Amino acid sequence: MPDLIETGRAPTARHRPRAATALAALPAAAPVSEVWAALGEAGVLADLYDPAGPAPGTTAAVDPARLAALIGAVDARGDNGVTLSVLVQAAGALPVLAACAPATGPVRQALEETLSGAATVALAATDSAAPGSDLAGLGTEVDISADGLLLTGGKRWITTACAADRLLVLARHRPGRHFTSFTWVLVPATAPGVRVRPAGSDLLAGSATGHVELDGVRLPPDHIVGRPGRGMALFARHMGTERLAGALWTVALTSRVLADTRERLTRRHGDGRPLWHHDAVRQRYAACLVQVRQLRALCESLGDRVTRRQDLAAAALLKSAAGLVADPVLAACAQLQGADGFARDGAQTIRAEAGVLGIGGGVTEVVLAAVADHADTLLTELRS
C-alpha cells in the first residue's frame, strides 16, 4: 500500500473540509457509487492510509483521525445508508485488499480502482447458512484447483451488494470450523452465476444492501485474496478497523442528532418558556452529551492501537461502547423531540437505522463477552 500513497499530504486537520468539499457538488440524494467516486477522485480514500507506513510487522494502517474526518463528512449529508456503505468499504474491504494485493493482477487492480473511486466493493462475509456472528459455520464453499476456482453458496445482508462492481467473498475451502478452513475470493459482480437481489428493507436504503447467490461461479486462480487458509485470520486482524469506524460513526451520528435536538428544544415552548430551560430536559440532554464525549475520548485513546497494532481487546471495547451509547442517546433525542421525531427521516427513523451499530460487525452482547475475556488485561491497564 505505501506505494499508492504520497508522503507530505495535507495535515489531518484539513482532511474533513477536503472530504466535505469533494462531496459538496453532489445532490442530497446521490447514491453511494457517486459519493464513493467523488471521495476517490479527490484522493480522500487513499489519504486514509498513514503516510508514515505500517508499524513493524503489520500491514498498511488506516489513520484513525482521517477515518474519523471522512465518516464525519459523509454522515453530515444525513443519508445513513450511504454512510454505512462508505464505512464498510473504507474500513472493512479496503484494509483486506491492501493487505493482500500483489504487484499486479486482479486484486491489485481492484485495490487501485476502489481507492480511486472508479469502482465499489462489497465485503461479503455474513453467510446464508449461518447466523451473522457464526462465521465459522458458513456454508459458502470454494473449490481450489490448478484449473481455477469454483464458488457456490450465498451471502445475506451484504452492504453495497446491489451497487458493487466486485464482491470480496469469505468462503470455506475445506470442511471443519478451524480458522484455517477459510479463504477470501474476489468475485466480479457480473461473473456468470452471481445473482444479487435487494434485501427488502425500508431502512438504510442508501446502503444498497442485498442478498447474494453464488451458483457455480468459475474464476481464475489469481482471484484468491491472500493465501488459502488465511481468510479468517486476515478478517480478524482487520475487523478492528471496521469496529473503530463504527464507534466513530456513532460519535458523528449522535452529535448530529444532539445538535438538531437542542435547536428544536430552544424553539419549542412549555409553560411559557423554551423547553431547553426546563431542568429535567437539560439534565437528560446533558447525560447524553457526557456519554458521547466519553465515546469520543475512547476512540481517540484507542484508535492507533486498533489500526496499527490490531489490538482486538481495544476494538471490542470500542464496538461495545458504540452499541451501549447509540441507542440510549438516540432514544432520548427522539423522546425529547416529541411528535417531530416521527417525521420522515426524523429522530425515530434515525434511531431505528442506528440499530445496525449494535448488530453489524458483532452483536453488542457477543462483543461484551469478548471484553470480559480480556478482563485481566483491561484491569491491569486501569490500575497502571
Side-chain angles (χ1 to χ4, degrees):
M1 265 304 300
D3 60 309
L4 297 181
I5 305 166
E6 298 175 8
T7 58
R9 285 191 184 272
T12 299
R14 298 179 184 174
H15 184 70
R16 182 163 183 174
R18 183 179 175 191
T21 299
L23 300 174
L26 295 179
V32 65
S33 56
E34 293 182 15
V35 171
W36 188 259
L39 293 168
E41 289 169 5
V44 174
L45 300 175
D47 202 34
L48 286 175
Y49 288 85
D50 186 351
T58 68
T59 55
V62 173
D63 181 270
R66 297 176 188 223
L67 181 61
L70 167 63
I71 291 172
V74 178
D75 174 78
R77 295 174 55 82
D79 189 324
N80 294 327
V82 168
T83 305
L84 176 62
S85 176
V86 170
L87 183 157
V88 175
Q89 290 187 82
L94 272 177
V96 172
L97 287 175
C100 301
T104 61
V107 178
R108 168 60 60 170
Q109 182 180 358
L111 173 62
E112 293 179 352
E113 290 183 359
T114 305
L115 280 173
S116 71
T120 52
V121 60
L123 187 74
T126 307
D127 206 80
S128 299
S133 298
D134 184 24
L135 288 180
L138 64 81
T140 300
E141 298 181 349
V142 57
D143 179 67
I144 303 174
S145 68
D147 296 330
L149 313 176
L150 178 62
L151 196 63
T152 302
K155 298 292 182 178
R156 300 180 69 247
W157 299 105
I158 303 303
T159 303
T160 321
C162 295
D165 298 288
R166 298 177 177 92
L167 306 167
L168 189 56
V169 175
L170 185 63
R172 176 189 302 280
H173 72 273
R174 67 182 181 189
R177 297 178 61 88
H178 195 270
F179 71 95
T180 59
S181 298
F182 306 94
T183 299
W184 286 105
V185 181
L186 185 65
V187 181
T190 56
V194 177
R195 289 189 293 273
V196 181
R197 57 186 174 87
S201 173
D202 292 330
L203 300 176
L204 298 165
S207 66
T209 296
H211 304 316
V212 180
E213 295 180 27
L214 304 161
D215 185 10
V217 180
R218 295 186 178 277
L219 298 166
D222 58 4
H223 280 63
I224 288 180
V225 180
R227 288 184 296 162
R230 297 289 297 167
M232 198 67 78
L234 184 65
F235 187 48
R237 185 192 311 163
H238 294 286
M239 180 173 55
T241 301
E242 186 176 333
R243 287 179 167 178
L244 168 64
L248 293 170
W249 184 25
T250 302
V251 173
L253 176 61
T254 53
S255 297
R256 170 164 58 89
V257 177
L258 279 167
D260 177 58
T261 301
R262 184 180 185 280
E263 195 274 333
R264 292 173 184 273
L265 291 172
T266 60
R267 287 191 283 107
R268 292 180 58 201
H269 287 68
D271 297 329
R273 55 176 174 158
L275 291 178
W276 176 248
H277 294 300
H278 287 258
D279 285 344
V281 170
R282 291 165 65 84
Q283 288 173 9
R284 188 172 188 188
Y285 186 94
C288 294
L289 275 180
V290 170
Q291 289 180 277
V292 176
R293 288 295 303 227
Q294 288 173 331
L295 179 58
R296 177 177 171 177
L298 197 63
C299 290
E300 291 173 348
S301 66
L302 298 179
D304 280 332
R305 285 173 54 175
V306 170
T307 62
R308 291 179 62 80
R309 291 162 48 187
Q310 289 87 46
D311 188 324
L312 297 182
L317 269 178
L318 287 171
K319 179 67 177 67
S320 302
L324 294 173
V325 167
D327 190 65
V329 169
L330 294 174
C333 288
Q335 181 73 12
L336 289 171
Q337 289 188 22
D340 288 349
F342 290 94
R344 181 178 288 110
D345 298 327
Q348 296 286 357
T349 297
I350 293 173
R351 179 193 177 190
E353 292 186 329
V356 71
L357 293 165
I359 296 176
V363 177
T364 300
E365 291 78 6
V366 173
V367 182
L368 281 170
V371 173
D373 290 340
H374 295 282
D376 290 341
T377 300
L378 296 173
L379 286 171
T380 299
E381 291 181 354
L382 287 174
R383 294 167 180 163
S384 62

